[in-house]
DNA sequence: CAAAATTAATCAAACGATTGATTAATGTAA
DNA sequence: TTACATTAATCAATCGTTTGATTAATTTTG
């Protein structure tokens, strides 16, 4: 059945995503992935062509819907800059914490100083989400909602960097925060709400115009 | 001569540090490293025992002096919390931007969800720098210098996360910032001063007690 | 001092193991 | 039967490491 085949391919990608997050792309062997997925090694090449094909297939599964959600928030004309910022953060934090394996895998492979085809591809993907955020900030500054002296570009480093620190280096952030950031229950009950609140407070403290407290 | 031997070992570590940063630990082969260093492959094992020995030798070279500098700032009783924060940021940002290869290499190998001996070792190393920063914040809050409602732990994620974003994903941050963050000249003339100023402004906006503007 | 003995440094070649990928054979369902 | 799915076996390439031999440097000895 077509259904079963799709399920099986999806199962392989689920496992591969986790194994790539655990050991990195180079550190994860095709035998490791197929073994944990309970399928014959040759099936990876049969379905996805190659190891890199598996890697890219994981991408296709995740990026499109996510990017469209963020894009729709950025293009929403009915809300002001502060509300856009809130909605963006809510959606973004929910998604990246839940799909932490994917984002660990993604960011690890771009943490190389050498450019490759793969780093270029990942850069393009990541930059789409970055651009949406940048536009929200730039628009807010232009409208006078946000402090015009804000460093828009380094603010990008702060929001995505803070997220990366929590999600991509779980052993560090778990130690700092005092709980296991990889635990799904903890993520929903503790991490997400606290992270959202913090991020909004931080951005408001930095972006707020002086002598203008009515947005707090 | 002893001198020449140390120079040679140091040269190998210089090259290995760069190659590890370029391709990652698994992606960098011993042939690649020895080839670029212009030495016979067997010399890596002769000097450092193994590939992992090379990796760990790079650590020994970098961490000790750096940690002592930060530690002395944290223990300085003659300055207040705001000044400590400033000095910490100045030293930290200088060091991590200059030694970007090392920090790319370091952080990449801890960006795995699976625990290993190596991730545990790296976690311990990183946590030492984190603790110094945490103590500065905690002390400032206790003394009443900083806003007591600040989320100390997520603030850790922000400072180190922002730094990681700039240093460890250079292809992304170069695109966002509009210049090459790996260029040494750009680092000193543009990146470091701007990064320091931004980080201080951001932390002051977040940590400052309300109705207390005399620290700006 | 000079010859001999010892140690350290360097090399090309090969090691066994593992990698990603492919093959040819077999199983399965329409 | 025919087309697709799955398997075990196998492939060449590359991995980190080790080897035995050779050269260079140092120490010991007469």
């Amino acid at each position: 059945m077509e259904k079963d085949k799709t399920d099986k391919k999806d199962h392989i990608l689920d496992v591969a995503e986790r194994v790539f997050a655990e050991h990195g792309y180079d550190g994860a062997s095709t035998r490791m992935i197929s073994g944990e997925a309970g399928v014959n090694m040759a099936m990876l090449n049969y379905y996805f062509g190659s190891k890199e094909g598996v890697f890219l297939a994981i991408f296709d599964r995740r990026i499109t819907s996510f990017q469209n959600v963020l894009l729709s928030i950025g293009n929403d004309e009915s809300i002001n800059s502060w509300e856009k910022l809130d909605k963006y953060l809510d959606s973004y934090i929910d998604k990246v914490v839940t799909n932490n394996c994917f984002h660990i895998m993604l960011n690890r492979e771009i943490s190389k100083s050498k450019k490759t085809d793969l780093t270029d591809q990942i850069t393009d993907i990541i930059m789409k989400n970055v651009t949406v955020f940048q536009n929200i900030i730039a628009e807010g500054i232009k409208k006078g909602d946000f402090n015009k002296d804000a460093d828009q570009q380094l603010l990008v480093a702060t929001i995505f960097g803070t997220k990366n620190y929590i999600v991509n280096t779980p052993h560090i952030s778990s130690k700092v925060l005092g709980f296991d950031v990889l635990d799904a229950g903890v993520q929903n009950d503790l991490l997400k709400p606290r992270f959202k609140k913090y991020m909004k407070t931080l951005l408001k403290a930095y972006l707020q115009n002086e002598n203008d407290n009515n947005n707090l």
Side-chain angles (χ1 to χ4, degrees), chain A residues 44-73:
Chain A
L44 298 187
N45 298 287
Y46 182 71
Y47 281 139
F48 307 105
S50 67
K51 183 186 181 183
E52 187 175 330
V54 175
F55 193 76
L56 297 175
I58 295 172
F59 276 68
D60 288 335
R61 224 176 35 149
R62 295 263 181 239
I63 54 173
T64 315
S65 70
F66 185 28
Q67 287 182 344
N68 288 340
V69 170
L70 294 185
L71 211 59
S72 72
I73 294 173

Side-chain angles (χ1 to χ4, degrees), chain A residues 45-112:
Chain A
N45 298 287
Y46 182 71
Y47 281 139
F48 307 105
S50 67
K51 183 186 181 183
E52 187 175 330
V54 175
F55 193 76
L56 297 175
I58 295 172
F59 276 68
D60 288 335
R61 224 176 35 149
R62 295 263 181 239
I63 54 173
T64 315
S65 70
F66 185 28
Q67 287 182 344
N68 288 340
V69 170
L70 294 185
L71 211 59
S72 72
I73 294 173
N75 292 334
D76 189 343
E77 306 280 349
S78 69
I79 55 178
N80 69 30
S81 297
W82 289 106
E83 289 167 334
K84 266 191 194 178
L85 202 54
D86 271 16
K87 287 186 90 172
Y88 182 93
L89 289 173
D90 283 334
S91 290
Y92 183 74
I93 289 173
D94 268 330
K95 207 75 177 178
V96 295
V97 171
T98 300
N99 296 333
N100 59 82
C101 279
F102 174 64
H103 289 271
I104 290 175
M105 179 191 100
L106 177 85
N107 269 278
R108 211 186 113 85
E109 292 321 307
I110 207 183
S111 297
K112 301 176 179 177

Side-chain angles (χ1 to χ4, degrees), chain A residues 86 89-90 195-205:
Chain A
D86 271 16
L89 289 173
D90 283 334
F195 187 18
K196 288 175 187 174
K197 183 187 169 191
Y198 165 78
M199 214 63 228
K200 292 172 187 175
T201 307
L202 178 70
L203 289 190
K204 277 169 188 166

Side-chain angles (χ1 to χ4, degrees), chain A residues 105-142:
Chain A
M105 179 191 100
L106 177 85
N107 269 278
R108 211 186 113 85
E109 292 321 307
I110 207 183
S111 297
K112 301 176 179 177
S113 56
K114 195 92 167 182
K115 268 195 180 191
T116 64
D117 286 347
L118 195 57
T119 60
D120 282 344
Q121 286 183 54
I122 298 177
T123 301
D124 288 342
I125 291 170
I126 291 180
M127 281 305 292
K128 285 183 184 168
N129 296 344
V130 170
T131 303
V132 174
F133 178 77
Q134 279 184 310
N135 288 342
I136 294 175
I137 302 297
E139 190 187 81
I141 292 178
K142 195 178 170 188

Side-chain angles (χ1 to χ4, degrees), chain A residues 22 165-176 180-182:
Chain A
E22 285 176 348
Y165 191 87
I166 293 172
V167 173
N168 302 340
T169 57
H171 305 121
I172 304 272
S173 58
S174 292
K175 217 155 207 172
V176 170
D180 181 11
V181 299
L182 292 174

